[in-house]
């Protein structure tokens, strides 16, 4: 009787496998988006603000000398 119960286990594993793989793929995609967002916020935004300030100061000095 115990052997009959063991036959269902591989079937349950095979039914759950696509969902497990889908969850893994979604978590990897989420991790990539999170890392790209962190890089954007921590590195790119301050550089853009710095470039904007340099550009504004450069334009004011050009107007003053021109």
């Amino acid at each position: 009787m115990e052997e009959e119960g063991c036959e269902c286990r591989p079937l349950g594993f095979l039914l759950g496998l696509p969902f497990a793989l889908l969850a893994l793929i979604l978590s990897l995609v989420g991790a990539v988006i999170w890392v790209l967002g962190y890089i954007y916020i921590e590195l790119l935004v301050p550089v853009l603000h710095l470039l904007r300030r340099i550009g504004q100061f450069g334009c004011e000095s050009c107007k003053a000398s021109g």
Side-chain angles (χ1 to χ4, degrees):
M1 287 186 173
E2 292 180 19
E3 294 177 6
E4 292 177 6
C6 293
E7 291 177 9
C8 295
R9 289 182 185 167
L11 182 62
F13 173 75
L14 291 176
L15 287 174
L17 190 60
F19 297 104
L21 291 175
L22 181 64
L24 178 66
I25 291 170
L26 287 176
S27 66
L28 290 175
V29 169
V32 168
I33 291 172
W34 181 64
V35 168
L36 291 177
Y38 178 79
I39 290 171
Y40 175 75
I41 294 297
E42 294 295 325
L43 299 177
L44 191 59
V45 171
V47 171
L48 291 175
H49 286 296
L50 181 63
L51 290 176
R52 187 177 296 162
R53 281 189 192 166
I54 291 171
Q56 287 176 352
F57 291 133
C59 292
E60 290 176 5
S61 63
C62 290
K63 289 178 184 178
S65 65

